[in-house]
Amino acid sequence: MEKSKLLTISSKTLPNDRTRFNRGLLAAGGAAYLAWWFVVESLLPGSFNPLFGRLVVVSLFFLVLILSYLSAVVRSHIGTCFSACAWIVTLHYFYLFHNNHSDVNWTIGSYIIVIALCACLESTLLLRYYVLFVTGLSLLIGLFDPVVVKTVFLSGMLTILAFAYFGMTAKLKLLKQVGEQALGLQNLFDAVFEGVVIHDQGVVIDTNQSFDKMFGYGQGEARGKLVTEFASPQAQAIVRENIGANSEMPYEAEGKRKDGFCFPIEIRGKRHFFRGKNLRIAAIRDVTEEKKVEQVRVLLNASREAIKIHDEFVLVASHELKTPLSAIKMQTQIVKRKIQKGGANAPDLESVEKVAEFIERQVDKLIRLTVDMVDVSKISLGKLDMQVSLLNFSMLAEETAKGLSEALAEAGSQLTIEMRPGVFVEGDSFRLEQVIVNLLVNSLKYGSGKPVRISLTGRDQDAVLEVEDLGIGLAKTDQARVFQRFERAVSSRDISGLGLGLFICKYIVEAHHGKIEVVSELGKGARFSVKIPIAHTSDVQDGDVRHNTTS
Amino acid sequence: MGTLGTILLVEDDVDLHEVTKAFLELEGFEVASAFNGQQALDALLGGLKPNLILLDLMMPVMNGYVFLSIFTAHQPPFGTSVVILSAAADVTETAKKFDVPFVKKPLDITLLAKLIKR
């Protein structure tokens, strides 16, 4: 019968118990037998009770006891040594019994000794031999002493031996049952899907089959290892923490297989008292699949979200595109109408030129919009092209600002230009122009017709370009949002726009190793600052700033 | 020929406003301009009595939706019909909600002409 591993724990990992027990028996037995002599002397004076023989037997007990500390051979066979002593004691006592002419007190004494010794012999084999030995001795005494046969001695002794023998058999049967139960438990232990590990202060005592399979170890190979050996380096701390805290809550960690492969696991452990030891038993689940499903779900949600944003954007974009398209369509229809009507209405060259300019303006608007959309896509794909060179940022900013000053003025937003000349940066002039245009167009849109200021200064190692307006401003909560794709701080119902501009600006600025920020208060306007590292400045004095106001 | 009537044009995009106005004037209407809902309301409260209001929805300061709710709440004192002129995606629902006809951008002149003749 395959003894369950649990039951074998006691003999393998706690070897001292049996040795200690047997040593105890030897000491107690020796002392008791010696004391017995005194009892006999006082209670049964005149009996055949030689001290010398007694002392020899007792010293044998103690001799074996002492040898068990000195010799490994004796220590490992201490059970058998005790059994030998038991035989010698029995033989000695039966000798005394015979010489005391089977006195009834001595009969009782014999019973006591035999019972005691049977109880102390726990091994089946040793008991069997002892029983045979005593039976033989008892029958022998009967031969020497026919009187004994007539007394209760023989029958009593045989009864006792029978009890001892059958008692042992019953105990064995019980043990076998327990063993089978344990075996059943062992099967259950192994049948559990989760990996189960039992450890004592972090030292693995036992693992089930699922655990062994999960971590790639052979049966029983994991025993004796530290539990932390089964956790990945990153998970060491959390595993130790949970064990130390005796936590019974499930927690996530990372397991490490024998071949070093790490995988996500979920652990749940609890305390388990067993034979006076405070053990911890933990169930481990491989959650790799679960994690994968989770990841897929997260990705799916993110995709759905992205598609939603994209669809919304398409709606907004189509609206933006329709405005210049409507204007173009109307304009062309007007021309046709005018031609149809003829006469005073017929278009002359001057009006045709105006119409052409008008249409061109609208087309430019459309181009800007589509370029923005393409840029955003390129950014998403990581493909926004930039050609870097050393450029005069001051000049670029001033020219761009001047180009837009007319449009701003028309909306009532007088543009003030304050450029520190000679500021050079490493960058893409086309892209930086895009940024400046974007900021100025925003101030036009959201500036509520109030003055706008654009300035360029040097601060520490950076060129700082600021565009400030006194328009509707931005709430604190929106200030971070506006730089995101498709985000706008105003409802799309109020002001037209794609919400791409600042996103593109941020990307471009950051690609120039710069930073873009906004300082604003709702209703009090906004100041956008762009910081880009300076390549070098040409020789100018501080305070040498040119002011330019256009009306 | 005399004017066919007065139209209040409410549209924030300058170019589009300009070209629509030009078209309407060509067709013989007198056009009053407003660049957002607020300006439109101010004009109406200031005594303007247009035969028709052409209303864009997406405007700053006061958008078309808000204007419509205020306007319809005060009918019939204004005694004018409104046509929505918008490229917004939810034009249809808004039009149904306020029970006004609408024309989608880009504008089809003949359709607009038909509506105006009504």
Side-chain angles (χ1 to χ4, degrees):
Chain A
M1 142 194 121
E2 186 196 284
K3 256 167 115 188
S4 105
K5 289 178 195 140
L6 271 177
L7 288 186
T8 56
I9 290 175
S10 51
S11 52
K12 279 196 184 145
T13 61
L14 313 164
N16 290 319
D17 269 11
R18 282 242 58 88
T19 319
R20 242 186 270 133
F21 181 64
N22 279 303
R23 280 188 187 145
L25 282 178
L26 286 165
Y33 204 50
L34 186 62
W36 196 283
W37 185 86
F38 288 98
V39 168
V40 170
E41 281 299 295
S42 52
L43 290 183
L44 303 166
S47 330
F48 179 75
N49 194 18
L51 182 59
F52 180 70
R54 186 80 59 150
L55 284 176
V56 167
V57 174
V58 169
S59 53
L60 207 63
F61 272 73
F62 288 105
L63 182 68
V64 173
L65 179 64
I66 292 167
L67 278 176
S68 79
Y69 285 103
L70 302 174
S71 158
V73 176
V74 171
R75 196 162 45 237
S76 53
H77 292 93
I78 197 165
T80 319
C81 293
F82 177 78
S83 175
C85 292
W87 282 38
I88 291 168
V89 164
T90 313
L91 197 59
H92 179 251
Y93 198 83
F94 270 53
Y95 167 70
L96 293 177
F97 173 66
H98 170 67
N99 280 307
N100 279 295
H101 310 295
S102 320
D103 181 274
V104 68
N105 293 307
W106 285 87
T107 311
I108 295 172
S110 310
Y111 291 164
I112 293 173
I113 290 211
V114 167
I115 292 171
L117 288 171
C118 283
C120 292
L121 295 171
E122 283 201 25
S123 154
T124 47
L125 206 60
L126 291 174
L127 180 69
R128 228 176 267 160
Y129 286 146
Y130 183 68
V131 163
L132 284 173
F133 172 66
V134 176
T135 312
L137 261 187
S138 309
L139 291 171
L140 204 63
I141 285 237
L143 280 180
F144 277 107
D145 218 336
V147 175
V148 163
V149 179
K150 294 197 190 105
T151 67
V152 77
F153 172 77
L154 198 57
S155 39
M157 189 57 78
L158 290 175
T159 312
I160 287 169
L161 291 171
F163 267 118
Y165 184 74
F166 289 116
M168 174 57 97
T169 317
K171 185 176 174 190
L172 280 179
K173 215 156 109 187
L174 191 66
L175 272 179
K176 187 165 178 228
Q177 262 182 4
V178 172
E180 271 167 3
Q181 243 184 19
L183 189 65
L185 279 172
Q186 182 67 40
N187 282 334
L188 188 67
F189 193 45
D190 281 333
V192 165
F193 285 115
E194 296 169 332
V196 182
V197 58
I198 304 175
H199 63 89
D200 179 17
Q201 315 294 340
V203 179
V204 174
I205 290 177
D206 206 0
T207 58
N208 73 345
Q209 232 170 49
S210 302
F211 182 95
D212 295 333
K213 255 207 320 214
M214 201 187 283
F215 287 86
Y217 288 87
Q219 199 188 49
E221 208 183 322
R223 281 195 224 132
K225 293 195 192 289
L226 284 176
V227 279
T228 43
E229 200 170 315
F230 305 104
S232 77
Q234 303 93 293
Q236 298 275 325
I238 192 175
V239 169
R240 266 197 273 262
E241 204 180 291
N242 274 281
I243 294 178
N246 258 319
S247 164
E248 297 202 357
M249 296 302 297
Y251 65 97
E252 285 189 4
E254 212 181 14
K256 189 179 76 167
R257 283 219 303 242
K258 187 177 174 187
D259 58 15
F261 178 75
C262 292
F263 59 102
I265 53 177
E266 190 191 79
I267 305 177
R268 190 168 194 179
K270 64 192 273 196
R271 260 206 301 222
H272 180 66
F273 286 104
F274 181 71
R275 301 211 178 180
K277 294 208 149 231
N278 186 6
L279 307 176
R280 185 166 160 92
I281 181 166
I284 302 186
R285 263 181 349 119
D286 182 344
V287 294
T288 316
E289 283 310 309
E290 268 174 51
K291 287 269 166 204
K292 275 199 204 142
V293 168
E294 179 74 36
Q295 266 176 356
V296 168
R297 199 183 304 131
V298 166
L299 273 174
L300 191 64
N301 282 338
S303 306
R304 283 214 195 101
E305 190 62 36
I307 290 174
K308 199 174 90 154
I309 292 179
H310 183 263
D311 287 345
E312 279 171 9
F313 172 72
V314 168
L315 281 175
V316 172
S318 68
H319 175 271
E320 289 306 300
L321 295 174
K322 277 185 201 167
T323 307
L325 286 172
S326 309
I328 294 174
K329 183 160 183 188
M330 290 206 96
Q331 192 62 276
T332 53
Q333 284 181 323
I334 289 176
V335 170
K336 284 205 293 193
R337 278 302 257 157
K338 279 191 176 172
I339 293 173
Q340 271 174 7
K341 288 198 171 176
N345 283 317
D348 57 3
L349 281 175
E350 197 189 310
S351 60
V352 169
E353 196 185 357
K354 280 222 188 83
V355 167
E357 273 171 10
F358 180 87
I359 293 181
E360 194 178 21
R361 259 206 321 274
Q362 304 313 305
V363 171
D364 284 339
K365 262 197 219 171
L366 284 169
I367 292 175
R368 263 208 305 280
L369 282 170
T370 41
V371 162
D372 273 358
M373 289 199 284
V374 168
D375 278 350
V376 165
S377 289
K378 278 192 190 168
I379 288 175
S380 308
L381 294 167
K383 285 190 187 152
L384 191 68
D385 41 338
M386 292 212 272
Q387 284 164 325
V388 177
S389 63
L390 189 64
L391 64 100
N392 189 331
F393 199 27
S394 319
M395 237 168 52
L396 175 71
E398 184 149 353
E399 278 167 14
T400 314
K402 280 201 188 135
L404 280 168
S405 56
E406 204 178 291
L408 278 161
E410 262 178 46
S413 295
Q414 201 181 38
L415 178 65
T416 313
I417 303 178
E418 290 169 9
M419 297 291 171
R420 181 179 159 179
V423 176
F424 284 79
V425 298
E426 287 264 333
D428 182 326
S429 59
F430 176 67
R431 295 291 171 198
L432 285 176
E433 188 186 331
Q434 222 177 335
V435 171
I436 301 172
V437 166
N438 233 298
L439 292 175
L440 286 172
V441 165
N442 275 350
S443 58
L444 171 63
K445 264 198 238 171
Y446 304 104
S448 317
K450 302 220 183 83
V452 173
R453 186 181 72 103
I454 180 170
S455 67
L456 177 65
T457 48
R459 214 175 290 161
D460 302 320
Q461 310 284 22
D462 294 322
V464 181
L465 177 84
E466 287 183 342
V467 174
E468 192 167 355
D469 70 72
L470 296 160
I472 61 175
L474 287 157
K476 286 272 184 282
T477 43
D478 293 329
Q479 283 174 27
R481 265 203 323 125
V482 279
F483 292 103
Q484 286 169 23
R485 188 158 64 157
F486 309 143
E487 287 294 333
R488 310 183 59 221
V490 294
S491 152
S492 57
R493 292 180 156 197
D494 292 341
I495 296 188
S496 59
L498 280 174
L500 293 176
L502 285 173
F503 172 74
I504 297 175
C505 285
K506 180 163 183 257
Y507 184 86
I508 293 174
V509 169
E510 282 176 359
H512 281 78
H513 312 291
K515 253 183 80 162
I516 182 167
E517 291 169 329
V518 60
V519 172
S520 171
E521 240 186 82
L522 203 58
K524 296 204 183 134
R527 185 174 74 232
F528 283 85
S529 337
V530 171
K531 282 202 199 75
I532 296 181
I534 298 183
H536 75 84
T537 50
S538 60
D539 291 331
V540 275
Q541 307 288 16
D542 261 46
D544 182 8
V545 176
R546 290 208 324 261
H547 288 256
N548 235 305
T549 314
T550 52
S551 48
Chain B
M1 68 182 161
T3 64
L4 292 174
T6 314
I7 297 181
L8 173 59
L9 175 62
V10 193
E11 165 66 62
D12 68 316
D13 186 273
V14 171
D15 285 336
L16 195 54
H17 189 112
E18 188 189 306
V19 79
T20 315
K21 180 168 170 184
F23 167 71
L24 292 169
E25 282 173 347
L26 186 65
E27 293 303 309
F29 291 97
E30 202 178 292
V31 179
S33 291
F35 288 89
N36 58 53
Q38 186 61 56
Q39 286 183 4
L41 268 181
D42 291 341
L44 288 170
L45 290 168
L48 181 72
K49 289 199 175 40
N51 302 93
L52 180 67
I53 301 178
L54 286 178
L55 178 66
D56 179 33
L57 289 177
M58 294 209 188
M59 299 178 293
V61 181
M62 185 194 292
N63 61 34
Y65 306 93
V66 176
F67 172 83
L68 263 180
S69 3
I70 299 178
F71 180 79
T72 48
H74 285 92
Q75 279 273 41
F78 291 133
T80 314
S81 8
V82 177
V83 174
I84 298 176
L85 195 61
S86 179
D90 56 349
V91 173
T92 335
E93 292 100 65
T94 314
K96 248 192 230 137
K97 179 170 166 209
F98 290 101
D99 194 25
V100 291
F102 68 95
V103 181
K104 281 206 184 167
K105 289 183 195 169
L107 191 52
D108 190 297
I109 296 263
T110 38
L111 191 57
L112 183 62
K114 248 188 265 168
L115 268 170
I116 291 173
K117 257 53 171 203
R118 269 209 299 142

